Amino acid sequence: MTHFIFVTGGVVSSLGKGIAAASLGAILEARGLKVTMMKLDPYINVDPGTMSPFQHGEVFVTDDGAETDLDLGHYERFIRMTASRRNSVSAGRVYKTVIERERAGEYHGNTVQVIPHITNEIKDRIYGVAQGADIALIEIGGTVGDIESLPFLEAIRQIRTEVGPRRSLFMHLTLVPFLRASGELKTKPTQHSVKELRSIGIQPDILICRTEEPIPQEECRKIALFTSVVEEAVISCVDSDSIYKIPGILHSQGLDRIVLEHFNMQAKEADLSEWDQVLENITSADKVANVMIVGKYTELTDTYKSINEALFHAGIQTKTEIKLHYVEASSLETMDDTALAATFAGMDAVLIPGGFGERGIEGKIRAIQYIREHKIPFLGLCLGMQLAVVEYARNVLGLTGANTSEVDPTVAYPVIQMLDPQRDKETDEFRGYMTVGAQPSTVLKDTKVFAAYGRTDVSERHRHRYGVNLDYADQLQDGNLIISGRTNDRNLIEFIELKEHPWFVGTQAHPEFKSTPRDGHPLFIAFINAANAQKAARTEA
Ligand code: GLN
């Protein structure tokens, strides 16, 4: 029988609801329970696929090709689940379904309303995802008090009535700010946020209070009194230097015990040894690697969330402290070699992430040339790999002006070209089509990519419209550049690498989406190993 934990947030956004929810998921999983997670987002976009990274951060991609909220990334990093499109639902998606049904006459002439039609659709989706799980953690995006969250809050209120209080639990995240001037922690915003929640019929069972300073017991008692939450269920979550400490922080305050007591559920004690190992590796790191990311949204690290995390995970697996440095790609465009040398000085490895559109392209190509010639370990992801091919075509193969047809559809040497739309599943008016989701591929033996994965059959997630033009495949493989893997069904070039280089690998895929703190990801681990080797060699010299 599934038990539901609904996670809401109050006072301000960006409280780390996703991380708190996922951390609770991790502890419950460590108690041997089967956990699933779901994110409900109040925005009207059907999915975040078309939203600007400036506004929404990263678009996380699932195996089954859904473009989702980045919180799904946290879920997959914290618990052993493979998310699907069913685990991420926006208001836009819900409305779209209901409106399509209305147009198809399925409501038989009834007036279609938020309650019950929208709320029923939300509830159906929640019940659907929860099937088969002991615990379903359902996170509601946005902040309590927002107009657009109301249908979601109403739906979970109804579920409480339907399944009863012993099979449902409301966990609310709030902020307890510290006022530096008066040196005080303030509980009033929490009181107001809970008041708001109660006005729509939801009484929280647990409060997670985000705070800079530990909350004294007396203040917890006060919060408990004002909010009618039992005192031990007022949990403080003090800012932490690593998100992977949160499961331990919440467990030490008995959060999982409180949850199980609420559900009257039995489970073994939490075995957090894998998480302890993660933290142990972080604190015992004996190396430092400086990794540069040449990107377009360098002031907003949420845009590269999964990449940053995958690098940190590789650091955890190799006991390396990762220092990230971001540089704006367009700033490299006009740099001469001296300026480039200064930019890359002290860098042990460089990563070029995925991206769309023309901005920053020439700067990235310039960076790749420098990295290739100066033998700095390099990992190119999606667009990063495509531009490595462009750079090689231009500067090594002499195909002057070679480019991706994303930038110039009439270019003389389109070494990267749009994939055949006929072969792609997902089509819509605005985006045209996009290849999204997992693609199995085969890796060539005796390559750096094979050495990293230790196997020939791999599967990584994709999100792109362009790919290496197969007409140039023979020309590209000049003996130094190696096509080290292709997808099984489409013959898409999945991996490239350079032979005469310490570690220069590009992939059409987004391996960052499959990295976890407990396991890392083979390509990122190999990349950081190469960075460490580079640094050791440099130090010796
Ligand atoms: N813009 C490129 C394409 O569509 C790369 C996409 C990406 O990096 N995710 O193929």
Side-chain angles (χ1 to χ4, degrees):
M1 202 165 16
T2 306
H3 296 71
F4 297 86
I5 300 175
F6 298 106
V7 184
T8 55
V11 185
V12 290
S13 57
S14 305
L15 277 181
K17 258 194 320 249
I19 290 167
S23 298
L24 174 56
I27 317 170
L28 294 170
E29 190 181 68
R31 296 193 70 141
L33 297 167
K34 189 168 183 331
V35 179
T36 190
M37 302 196 63
M38 181 183 199
K39 176 82 191 277
L40 297 168
D41 273 303
Y43 49 74
I44 305 295
N45 305 63
V46 172
D47 66 41
T50 53
M51 283 159 93
S52 162
F54 280 120
Q55 291 193 22
H56 192 265
E58 163 186 286
V59 173
F60 188 79
V61 177
T62 57
D63 261 356
D64 69 344
E67 297 176 281
T68 72
D69 187 83
L70 57 78
D71 272 321
L72 264 80
H74 294 311
Y75 302 169
E76 285 198 347
R77 290 188 276 272
F78 278 87
I79 71 169
R80 301 223 185 264
M81 74 180 269
T82 301
S84 79
R85 61 181 66 250
R86 298 181 344 141
N87 300 84
S88 171
V89 173
S90 69
R93 170 82 59 197
V94 171
Y95 275 89
K96 186 167 185 268
T97 311
V98 171
I99 290 169
E100 280 168 1
R101 214 172 275 155
E102 185 273 331
R103 290 290 87 184
E106 288 180 34
Y107 295 107
H108 310 294
N110 281 311
T111 309
V112 181
Q113 293 177 299
V114 172
I115 305 172
H117 300 97
I118 295 295
T119 45
N120 282 352
E121 178 61 26
I122 296 169
K123 286 194 293 179
D124 286 349
R125 286 174 181 262
I126 295 175
Y127 285 129
V129 158
Q131 260 175 33
D134 297 319
I135 306 239
L137 268 147
I138 315 290
E139 179 192 348
I140 318 291
T143 308
V144 168
D146 297 346
I147 290 175
E148 56 263 45
S149 327
L150 284 173
F152 290 112
L153 297 173
E154 170 59 16
I156 64 174
R157 187 195 67 77
Q158 291 179 17
I159 292 183
R160 168 84 150 206
T161 326
E162 288 167 11
V163 303
R166 289 293 151 235
R167 275 185 61 208
S168 59
L169 184 152
F170 293 120
M171 180 166 107
H172 188 58
L173 258 89
T174 74
L175 178 72
V176 178
F178 180 71
L179 290 195
R180 218 153 283 288
S182 60
E184 285 176 299
L185 281 165
K186 289 295 185 190
T187 64
K188 193 71 81 190
T190 298
Q191 295 174 37
H192 276 288
S193 169
V194 172
K195 195 170 148 206
E196 186 77 39
L197 202 54
R198 287 157 97 179
S199 74
I200 41 187
I202 294 176
Q203 164 63 45
D205 302 296
I206 294 174
L207 292 179
I208 306 279
C209 305
R210 279 296 306 274
T211 160
E212 269 178 70
E213 305 281 332
I215 306 176
Q217 203 50 43
E218 204 176 307
E219 296 300 308
C220 287
R221 198 167 303 138
K222 187 164 141 196
I223 294 173
L225 181 71
F226 279 106
T227 59
S228 300
V229 171
V230 293
E231 193 179 321
E232 69 160 1
V234 178
I235 309 262
S236 19
C237 192
V238 182
D239 293 351
S240 163
D241 54 0
S242 166
I243 55 173
Y244 302 119
K245 285 187 182 160
I246 309 292
I249 291 175
L250 298 178
H251 173 64
S252 69
Q253 294 176 73
L255 178 62
D256 46 321
R257 178 184 51 76
I258 295 166
V259 167
L260 294 190
E261 280 173 12
H262 177 96
F263 289 146
N264 201 6
M265 227 174 163
Q266 309 297 325
K268 65 171 178 120
E269 278 305 308
D271 174 7
L272 292 176
S273 53
E274 288 181 344
W275 291 102
D276 294 340
Q277 187 62 54
V278 164
L279 298 183
E280 161 68 22
N281 282 16
I282 293 175
T283 43
S284 62
D286 51 11
K287 303 173 275 301
V288 176
N290 286 290
V291 181
M292 180 167 272
I293 296 182
V294 182
K296 283 207 314 191
Y297 303 95
T298 49
E299 68 278 32
L300 284 164
T301 51
D302 260 7
T303 309
Y304 302 122
K305 190 82 206 160
S306 292
I307 293 175
N308 300 343
E309 290 304 314
L311 289 168
F312 289 134
H313 302 158
I316 291 168
Q317 300 303 319
T318 58
K319 297 204 177 182
T320 309
E321 183 189 335
I322 305 293
K323 290 214 161 115
L324 293 180
H325 306 261
Y326 297 94
V327 65
E328 193 58 47
S330 47
S331 74
L332 304 178
E333 269 161 39
T334 50
M335 279 190 192
D336 60 14
D337 278 356
T338 322
L340 276 181
T343 303
F344 291 111
M347 289 304 130
D348 306 310
V350 180
L351 185 147
I352 302 205
F356 292 83
E358 199 176 343
R359 186 169 70 84
I361 293 264
E362 287 302 322
K364 288 176 183 171
I365 293 174
R366 191 105 181 85
I368 293 167
Q369 179 175 10
Y370 187 90
I371 292 158
R372 180 176 56 75
E373 290 175 353
H374 293 82
K375 307 221 182 294
I376 303 170
F378 167 77
L379 179 58
L381 304 177
C382 205
L383 181 67
M385 175 263 208
Q386 296 174 355
L387 298 182
V389 169
V390 170
E391 192 279 326
Y392 202 79
R394 281 187 194 174
N395 300 327
V396 179
L397 303 179
L399 303 177
T400 312
N403 214 335
T404 159
S405 56
E406 181 171 5
V407 174
D408 179 1
T410 61
V411 66
Y413 303 113
V415 288
I416 303 297
Q417 69 167 9
M418 199 178 259
L419 301 170
D420 179 357
Q422 301 311 318
R423 301 186 300 192
D424 286 273
K425 304 164 206 148
E426 189 122 337
T427 306
D428 67 47
E429 278 167 41
F430 172 59
R431 294 185 318 170
Y433 62 89
M434 178 93 83
T435 298
V436 265
Q439 300 273 335
S441 54
T442 305
V443 172
L444 215 64
K445 283 200 170 143
D446 297 321
T447 59
K448 291 186 173 89
V449 175
F450 178 77
Y453 281 101
R455 57 193 299 162
T456 54
D457 57 323
V458 303
S459 171
E460 296 291 358
R461 297 177 191 169
H462 284 232
R463 181 172 181 247
H464 61 118
R465 273 177 277 196
Y466 296 80
V468 178
N469 184 343
L470 295 176
D471 294 344
Y472 290 91
D474 289 340
Q475 214 176 334
L476 283 167
Q477 297 180 91
D478 65 346
N480 186 25
L481 190 147
I482 293 162
I483 293 173
S484 31
R486 295 174 187 244
T487 57
N488 296 347
D489 61 340
R490 312 173 166 211
N491 213 15
L492 194 75
I493 291 179
E494 184 78 336
F495 299 102
I496 60 127
E497 62 186 73
L498 295 185
K499 208 170 187 166
E500 287 143 30
H501 191 286
W503 208 86
F504 186 108
V505 170
T507 174
Q508 183 56 71
H510 289 280
E512 68 272 21
F513 293 137
K514 288 182 70 172
S515 178
T516 69
R518 286 181 281 178
D519 303 325
H521 185 287
L523 269 190
F524 282 86
I525 293 172
F527 178 54
I528 293 305
N529 279 333
N532 286 332
Q534 170 91 353
K535 180 164 198 161
R538 212 160 29 106
T539 318
E540 210 146 283

